[in-house]
Amino acid sequence: MANQSSSAYPILCASFNQDTSCFAIGTTDGFKVFDSNTGRLCYERAIGAFVIVEMLFSSSLLAIVGAGEEPSLSPRRLCLFNTTSGTALRELNFLTSILAVRMNRKRLVVILQDKSYIYDINSLAILDTIDTVSNIKGLCAFSPSLDGCFLALPASISKGSVLLYNVMDLHLHCEIDAHRAPLAAIALSSNGTYIATASEQGTIIRVHLVSEATKSYSFRRGTYPSTIFSLSFAPSMQLPDILVGTSSSGSVHAFSLGYFGRSKRSGSFLGSIIPNSVTDALDPAHHDVLHNAAPAGVKSYAVVRKVDKVADTSTSEIVACRATISIITYNGYFQEYNLSINNQNEFLWTLEREFKLLNVILDDGISL
């Protein structure tokens, strides 16, 4: 997700690792790494303000970028940091500020305002440089799967076009015209099969199939404009069951995509003549809202960490799904909800835990 945040809040950036088993935050004082399942603090370093902290799965490697409040923490310097030794492994310096960093086990991607660099993560050799439109927010999405490893970037500053680049094969895959207004949020499914987008209007969320660049779903988030802070697919090898998004209204939005996302078509005259893509956008049955997850205007970041299917014991038919949704709010809170969706598309949110991130004390027995 985009990482820079108002200094009025204690958290400057937040990110989950590639399998959402851990998450990291950058603060005005340093950075911290947590275990997603337990909420335990695994590692912390208080050496100044950081605007980018990215993990490589659950390894000891972090990619960190300072906020520039002191010369040693320049926003133009990327540090590959080893949490085991507590030292920098390598540093990469750039002419302009680093706006985003993404990694998998083969590639390192660095996003600047008008260029994106692709590196071999082992040798740090530059494999390709992508010239981009002005991308002042560092907007991007990355699918960590080696079989479907794509980088998504804005392709226009005047409309919501997105460029998809194959990071493993090093070639442009396609360009998708998703919205009339410029993009505000992008997310790729973990296997690179689907991409979700929202424009600066924030009223419609669209999902495209990456392989064919075709639109699969459109959802209406709301009637009034709102800034979409984050989008995230549920983990899945096929079509993810759920897509979640956070917005400046302080709400978390859940959209059902999989088994329960396709309610039976209406038998009415209107339902028979309106195309699927239009009725999907207008049908509230595929969408539910958790209000007041964060104060209005406070940036938040939500991910679907896992989804479990519930089957009828007598027929083996799937009758419900249960999702674990984790939310980080930049005013310093971690929340985890259980979201249940039954086969009537009824949504039920249950708060499982909530705590202040900056109050957690390091457990010396835990290490990365």
Side-chain angles (χ1 to χ4, degrees):
M1 68 178 296
N3 32 60
Q4 281 78 5
S5 178
S6 170
S7 58
Y9 300 114
I11 295 180
L12 303 181
C13 66
S15 64
F16 283 80
N17 67 348
Q18 292 81 356
D19 59 11
T20 69
S21 61
C22 298
F23 65 92
I25 61 171
T27 71
T28 53
D29 298 320
F31 57 88
K32 300 172 182 280
V33 177
F34 295 82
D35 184 299
S36 301
N37 295 307
T38 64
R40 290 181 294 184
L41 179 60
C42 303
Y43 187 86
E44 66 177 343
R45 194 72 180 260
I47 53 176
F50 285 85
V51 292
I52 294 175
V53 184
E54 293 285 334
M55 301 183 67
L56 180 62
F57 291 92
S58 298
S59 74
S60 59
L61 180 66
L62 297 179
I64 55 177
V65 177
E69 295 182 356
E70 50 190 275
S72 62
L73 298 176
S74 168
R76 298 186 298 275
R77 178 181 298 132
L78 170 64
C79 174
L80 297 179
F81 186 84
N82 187 311
T83 58
T84 301
S85 63
T87 58
L89 299 174
R90 289 284 300 273
E91 290 185 345
L92 297 173
N93 292 285
F94 299 87
L95 296 178
T96 60
S97 293
I98 301 163
L99 302 179
V101 177
R102 298 292 184 267
M103 295 184 288
N104 66 11
R105 291 190 171 95
K106 294 287 188 180
R107 297 288 185 261
L108 169 69
V109 178
V110 180
I111 308 297
L112 309 184
Q113 180 172 327
D114 55 7
K115 289 184 183 294
S116 295
Y117 293 93
I118 314 297
Y119 292 86
D120 180 288
I121 199 169
N122 296 302
S123 66
L124 291 186
I126 296 181
L127 302 177
D128 203 359
T129 302
I130 307 170
D131 292 319
T132 65
V133 299
S134 180
N135 184 14
I136 59 175
K137 296 180 180 179
L139 189 62
C140 66
F142 184 69
S143 53
S145 169
L146 299 182
D147 294 327
C149 187
F150 293 100
L151 172 67
L153 297 164
S156 172
I157 60 173
S158 60
K159 63 179 181 177
S161 298
V162 59
L163 177 150
L164 279 158
Y165 179 88
N166 188 310
V167 179
M168 297 306 297
D169 296 336
L170 304 175
H171 67 77
L172 175 64
H173 175 71
C174 68
E175 185 175 318
I176 297 173
D177 291 327
H179 303 269
R180 294 179 181 176
L183 295 171
I186 321 171
L188 280 158
S189 60
S190 59
N191 60 2
T193 304
Y194 290 89
I195 183 169
T197 58
S199 76
E200 292 178 352
Q201 286 289 102
T203 53
I204 298 291
I205 310 295
R206 292 203 165 98
V207 177
H208 286 77
L209 181 64
V210 170
S211 61
E212 300 175 10
T214 54
K215 185 170 66 178
S216 301
Y217 299 84
S218 291
F219 296 100
R220 183 175 294 281
R221 179 211 56 82
T223 304
Y224 298 101
S226 182
T227 300
I228 303 300
F229 289 140
S230 72
L231 293 170
S232 177
F233 285 100
S236 176
M237 294 303 293
Q238 299 176 345
L239 173 65
D241 297 289
I242 299 170
L243 171 72
V244 296
T246 60
S247 70
S248 57
S249 66
S251 300
V252 177
H253 301 262
F255 307 92
S256 53
L257 301 173
Y259 183 83
F260 302 116
R262 321 310 298 153
S263 59
K264 293 181 180 179
R265 292 299 307 278
S266 168
S268 67
F269 172 72
L270 186 63
S272 67
I273 62 173
I274 297 181
N276 275 326
S277 60
V278 177
T279 54
D280 288 347
L282 302 178
D283 187 353
H286 303 153
H287 172 214
D288 197 67
V289 184
L290 173 66
H291 295 285
N292 302 317
V298 174
K299 184 178 286 187
S300 56
Y301 177 30
V303 299
V304 186
R305 292 207 301 113
K306 64 178 180 177
V307 176
D308 297 317
K309 300 288 182 63
V310 180
D312 186 303
T313 55
S314 60
T315 64
S316 298
E317 178 185 357
I318 302 297
V319 294
C321 71
R322 294 173 183 158
T324 300
I325 298 175
S326 297
I327 306 164
I328 299 172
T329 62
Y330 278 46
N331 62 340
Y333 287 86
F334 176 91
Q335 302 170 358
E336 189 160 276
Y337 284 86
N338 182 290
L339 174 60
S340 296
I341 309 174
N342 64 20
N343 54 8
Q344 302 301 312
N345 261 323
E346 295 171 329
F347 292 69
L348 176 64
W349 298 81
T350 305
L351 179 63
E352 297 294 331
R353 54 187 171 132
E354 179 180 25
F355 58 88
K356 289 186 177 180
L357 289 164
L358 301 188
N359 289 354
V360 181
I361 299 174
L362 181 66
D363 184 339
D364 292 334
I366 302 174
S367 62
L368 292 177

